[in-house]
Amino acid sequence: MVAGAQVAGDAEEVWSQAEIVLKVKEPIESEYPFLREQQILFTYLHLAADPALTEALVESGATGLAYETVVDDAGRLPLLAPMSEIAGRLSAQAAADFLLDPVGGRGLLIGGVAGVAPARVTVLGGGVVGVHAARIACGMGAEVTVLDRSLPRLRELDELFAGRAKVIASSAAQIDEQLQRSDAVIGAVLIPGAAAPHLVTRDELALLPSRAVLIDVAIDQGGCFETSHPTTHADPVFEVDDVLHYCVTNMPGAVPRTATLALTNATLPYVREIANAGLDAAIEVDRGLAGGVNVRDGQVLCEPVLVALSASGAGL
Amino acid sequence: MVAGAQVAGDAEEVWSQAEIVLKVKEPIESEYPFLREQQILFTYLHLAADPALTEALVESGATGLAYETVVDDAGRLPLLAPMSEIAGRLSAQAAADFLLDPVGGRGLLIGGVAGVAPARVTVLGGGVVGVHAARIACGMGAEVTVLDRSLPRLRELDELFAGRAKVIASSAAQIDEQLQRSDAVIGAVLIPGAAAPHLVTRDELALLPSRAVLIDVAIDQGGCFETSHPTTHADPVFEVDDVLHYCVTNMPGAVPRTATLALTNATLPYVREIANAGLDAAIEVDRGLAGGVNVRDGQVLCEPVLVALSASGAGL
Amino acid sequence: MVAGAQVAGDAEEVWSQAEIVLKVKEPIESEYPFLREQQILFTYLHLAADPALTEALVESGATGLAYETVVDDAGRLPLLAPMSEIAGRLSAQAAADFLLDPVGGRGLLIGGVAGVAPARVTVLGGGVVGVHAARIACGMGAEVTVLDRSLPRLRELDELFAGRAKVIASSAAQIDEQLQRSDAVIGAVLIPGAAAPHLVTRDELALLPSRAVLIDVAIDQGGCFETSHPTTHADPVFEVDDVLHYCVTNMPGAVPRTATLALTNATLPYVREIANAGLDAAIEVDRGLAGGVNVRDGQVLCEPVLVALSASGAGL
Amino acid sequence: MVAGAQVAGDAEEVWSQAEIVLKVKEPIESEYPFLREQQILFTYLHLAADPALTEALVESGATGLAYETVVDDAGRLPLLAPMSEIAGRLSAQAAADFLLDPVGGRGLLIGGVAGVAPARVTVLGGGVVGVHAARIACGMGAEVTVLDRSLPRLRELDELFAGRAKVIASSAAQIDEQLQRSDAVIGAVLIPGAAAPHLVTRDELALLPSRAVLIDVAIDQGGCFETSHPTTHADPVFEVDDVLHYCVTNMPGAVPRTATLALTNATLPYVREIANAGLDAAIEVDRGLAGGVNVRDGQVLCEPVLVALSASGAGL
Amino acid sequence: MVAGAQVAGDAEEVWSQAEIVLKVKEPIESEYPFLREQQILFTYLHLAADPALTEALVESGATGLAYETVVDDAGRLPLLAPMSEIAGRLSAQAAADFLLDPVGGRGLLIGGVAGVAPARVTVLGGGVVGVHAARIACGMGAEVTVLDRSLPRLRELDELFAGRAKVIASSAAQIDEQLQRSDAVIGAVLIPGAAAPHLVTRDELALLPSRAVLIDVAIDQGGCFETSHPTTHADPVFEVDDVLHYCVTNMPGAVPRTATLALTNATLPYVREIANAGLDAAIEVDRGLAGGVNVRDGQVLCEPVLVALSASGAGL
Amino acid sequence: MVAGAQVAGDAEEVWSQAEIVLKVKEPIESEYPFLREQQILFTYLHLAADPALTEALVESGATGLAYETVVDDAGRLPLLAPMSEIAGRLSAQAAADFLLDPVGGRGLLIGGVAGVAPARVTVLGGGVVGVHAARIACGMGAEVTVLDRSLPRLRELDELFAGRAKVIASSAAQIDEQLQRSDAVIGAVLIPGAAAPHLVTRDELALLPSRAVLIDVAIDQGGCFETSHPTTHADPVFEVDDVLHYCVTNMPGAVPRTATLALTNATLPYVREIANAGLDAAIEVDRGLAGGVNVRDGQVLCEPVLVALSASGAGL
């Protein structure tokens, strides 16, 4: 039986009956006692940073599948992708918001109005995040430029935007040229499994017009601007050298309804396969699912988690 | 000589030299002494509500032209129109913002994402405000429905949106039907020179889903939702019966750079004509400009201002 | 020499001279005597259901290549695909037609008109059939929703329709939700080589508005609505529980000129290869062509045909 | 009180209570006795062709307003326009339908399919009917050419279709050139208050390819093809010289739900005005409404009706 | 009888039989003897600059109608408009051509290519010429900015281009800002009946990048760049201060087939009216046609022609 | 260190310092002495046709990498592709130019104008060249038909052009049918590493209208029209049988700025890899780069070059 996390009246009962428990976030401490043998917990786990949860999983004898380490045939992370799409779309909205005057922005309407030029938005990176950011920024009427280093990708973007956005090969010189005429810059460069590169240094902030805004969508991987540091939805921006920085971690957290549905669309095929055929058979069919098995029947299988735990001194 | 209000080092000097003074807002009290004979002040004045300024104008012997009472050949208010375009575009952005969870919204991404339905935005009124609201909402990916009562206007909108937005004749029954499936409602019905009609009553709020958002663009004219009351950019929303209300007055104040340029584009032809030919000749050419002359050489010419003043007991 | 089936004055002569005979449909009985050794017949054969033709082919010593069993590198059926595209496009036209009152429909213009909402069309399945159905339905002005289970496919559709059609992940619950607000439903779910799943049960018909119409494009594979049964172009619809069912088999038969050209575009590369290099060499180059060889020099090679024949008692 | 014709349980009661009766069609004989003094009947009347109804109206002392003779400021017929939009859209759908083989057409899919050319549709007349016909034909994928004689209108169409449809100045020679390469021709030339001109003569039918289809949207005004004669939804086409003719009168009758809403959107402003202010005041405000008053308090006011009646010998 | 100028075998015979002679250009000297009483010549005449032709017309007793002085209800010149549309479209093509290296341009592909920014094209003036120039420049992939001074026009353009081209209010400062980032500038400002204003002075050429190109569509009215002087299709460009100038007069002369058809579409309604009803009656119906009558039955009626002639000393 | 070919003051110094020399064209004779051991020259080389350069490379001990023989994973030529994109876009511009009358064309504006049909442009081949040609031709307003033989490609084009261009399967008969109604034909069929096929024979020229224009983008591979022979930007067209032929070799040479950037975008990833890791390691990572090594440390490795050289009698 598959029971969702859309908690029924009694959480304990759900946990006790469910063979597979699907969640959006890791279990909270009060849920640890519900974990049990033969049970599969499928959610974002981030165990390497959470020895307490790891210990709880190990002791319970449960199996922990982590969304963030499942891979697809092409080595991509299919259960992170929906979050990238959402973050990309939200980043254009955030750019529009922090161009407004009351929050300290340049006082510009992102799309301008008949007779008044629109704001200029530069999107660094034309991958999943970047293309969604650019689509929404175009939809809001901005003048949009997308930079990317991959020529095949630039060709796809050129066909997609058909002249509506400029699509230019990225380089350090090109970035500097764009900064000089950008009201907003969206940093959308993510290298899976690595820290994001710093595309804009502190020195380069001086190229931007006063009170321009940087949106750092790569902040969960360290940020792609040198001057970024994580912020929250409650307090999203700070200022460095007269430039606003929007560096909210977990941007999709602002749209839980949309994000939950998007995530479920991505996880459901895996869940269906596991529920129908069992975990072993499901892994047989889709080897990338194996990457998700962080803990199997109480045993830690994931190397980075083991490393992190031994470093933390946890006696597992 | 025409000197703008984009204040040089010394405001006093600018006022003393300028034959025509252009501003975005009415003069503040410290500027009253700068007013003088032979000078034309061209700005938003709203004298009926401001006896002190009226008195200052009268005593100075200056001429006061008010943006808000200039009319065009068709009887429309050409110096208010740019603000309507801006407010319309901003209203869609506001709708997107107050669908977010951290500010109390429904937790929806306005445009959804592949596989997840977009938010449903209903725009009440397909005039200048409404068409701009709908264009931006479409650009952000929302499911958009525009209601209007004028069949000729519905035809224009049908051609403009070409199926991207639904365009439906408005009626009380139709509004109720739409409310039941709207995540955001933009009230864009403005009747020039009259209080806006109440399109949604308090009782009808119950038709909306929980934590839906109403954006009242007509708030400067009293609001088009029964439960609206004015708010500010600093504290933009309040909640009634589990429905968010965004009722910020002077929405374009959030984008002063864009708004100033847009306004100047509209006022410049008048200014050029007055500067080149003098006020009398300019009025000869464009009779609608006469409507703007609230005070001429220290004499109040505008009937509603006279009425307001005598009511306020000012001895003019 | 390649001779088409676009019969010259004397069919017998064409058959006697042609080394390869291309047809759109299987040979009719009067053509059986024309089959002969060394001749390749390339057409839709459907031998498993036609023992008489199988026997004629075997006895003649000819080779029978069946369009319907040729596969491409990806395991798809490239000689069926053009028919899917055509059926998809026709299905939207059929939906528009059976919304009309004189044939018993709901009396709706599919695209509505300025001020009147368009009809709501739900397309179940976003594959080849579904995307063509949705494109035409959008082109006619309908409000279109496409459901599909594959997230990568949903992303392609989201980019293709760019907000013009809603693109939502399919599930049983989602289908029920859509049925309640659909004037027409196009069933476009085909699983190659398998019976189509029943996406709408008889009970669920009650969710639809009165006199809504279902278009079952999967009818050649058993239909994707529980209440479907095959109909013809002459008598295309029947009614169950106040819901119209359009279940015409071989929909492309309504557009023979278009279908023949489309089919020829797909078959020509194979024909050219066979004519130039011979059948053996052609199969060497393209292994998927081997799947099309149902009968080789009078010998049945296709397992399902053998099974069907032994079941039918034919003594081959 | 305004009571619609959406008949309640008891028609008689509705008629007896309603001060204004709105209908879509003229009253049927059984309703004549319900007519009474002080009552306004607002519907399509066509009295010149219906002496019995005229007599009933006169005797009852009621007032009869006819949709078909109300004019707007520009002398157009605003209560006929919605029907033209609907007929235009339906005409493209009819063209697609009668290109199909089972009903005797050329066997073409109107939009073709990848690799196969689309059908060629020529629209004669780029007014309300023509532009809607062309939009839907384009949406279905056809190759579309629109002919019109007005250069200002051609410019509007050129901007609207932006290269998707060809927009060419009409002339007898141009029509002949187009006929030679048209699979379907939509006759959309209507001259208000006059018989439609014959744009295609019987001789010219020979220019068309075999089994092409003509759609005569002007049939209610005599038809714009020489060989047209009225047909019905039940039996919509006939053939002359190997060319199909679709000449259904009252095309919008096929979509009663859509047509009723569209008509109501057009009539409602008049009804509201009459109900609020009375007929005299309403005419004062909108002189074009006077044209609709065919019978006032039992007296025939409409010249053509008088002429027709005296010709028919009715003693009014 | 109407006989076109599309000369039959024998010009003399055509002239002798035709009651109305339509031409594209003024008659050449060898045609003067063919002019005769009772004949109407309808063409571009430009008599003020051509005393010989004026004399010939006067002596012949013929009537001369000049395309260039016919006006429409709005005071515009309907027989010049088609030439403006053509010149506008050609101007974008010329801009693309003179960005090429072999003819001395900047060596840029106007639309760039995936990864390489497009050329930047600025269009001065958003009237008929400018909108057509901008549409084609967008179609070729350029980054396009349109400047215009009329706010209502800017709104139309904003809706038409929907973000694809930037639409900005024109001013001297704005022009200078655009020049600094323009690879090509199209001068499309025409003030009917007046010399074009000089929008770019010689000094301002220094703002442009090296080897940029100016296209002066206003050259027939003196040019809108200070450094313009007329050129021909045979030798179209010259260089001033390292900036190419394209100043071809009569640009539509490059596309005689297109231009003749476009002109005929505009003149035909007048010709039809004159041929059917006679010149007097035609003028009665359309007063603007009177403006075209430069010579009536041998008598000069057009004031500027009279003035020009007396100045030239011709004894008429 | 990587030094570009964008020559600094002293070419000799650049060559002496650079470990890798990037160029757009092969070195000229005066540069031969600069070649030296340990140096990598990366440019278009075309050694088989240039024994002198080959000898210089061999004697210098340098390594010569040729752009034109690098292949990608799919066997395509990634360093030629950007030139195809540029040539494709330029070809549509050339078609527009040689429809003009002053250069001997048909006197047509490629996009026509409101009321006048556009020119008809046929694009033979829907690959990289063809799709870019068609996009620009559509953007200029032409009536565009694209022919291609690959059904999967036709489907992509059908989706891309969405009815704006016709997309038809190519065949000899289809080409002849299109020629009869083409004002311009763009030959865009290139078979990598092979002479282009002759799609239009001399006899078929008679099918074209008088003064139509052929643009042969395949001329660098021998041309795809029988009557083509190479021309130059200085003298681009010649005429055969009343048909203009545009057969300029190295079309991208007209846009050196755009072409250099486009080329650099394609070469940079290779250069970066070689500079960072050395040539051997770079080849290890990307086997297709090995195909580019024509000369390694003074030794010829490329078979065709060896063959050509021995044929030319050079004693290497």
Side-chain angles (χ1 to χ4, degrees), chain F residues 33-34 57 88 100 105 117 161 183 188 228 240-241 245 280 284-285 290-291:
Chain F
F34 302 153
L57 265 169
L100 301 185
F161 288 107
D183 299 300
S228 293
V240 177
D241 295 348
H245 291 60
D280 288 324
E284 197 71 30
V285 170

Side-chain angles (χ1 to χ4, degrees), chain D residues 149 151 154-155 158-159 162-163 168-171, chain E residues 81-82 85 89 131-132 135 160 262 265-266 272:
Chain D
R149 286 176 67 166
L151 191 47
L154 290 165
R155 286 184 183 126
D158 175 61
E159 205 160 89
I168 303 184
S170 187
S171 67
Chain E
E85 294 177 79
R89 293 187 173 204
V131 76
H132 281 92
R135 277 171 62 182
L160 179 64
N265 291 341
R272 213 180 268 133

Side-chain angles (χ1 to χ4, degrees), chain D residues 84 88 123-135 146 153 157 161 186 188:
Chain D
S84 296
V123 180
L124 302 177
V128 173
V129 170
V131 76
H132 281 93
R135 278 171 63 181
V146 184
R153 183 59 178 166
L157 297 171
F161 287 107
I186 295 174

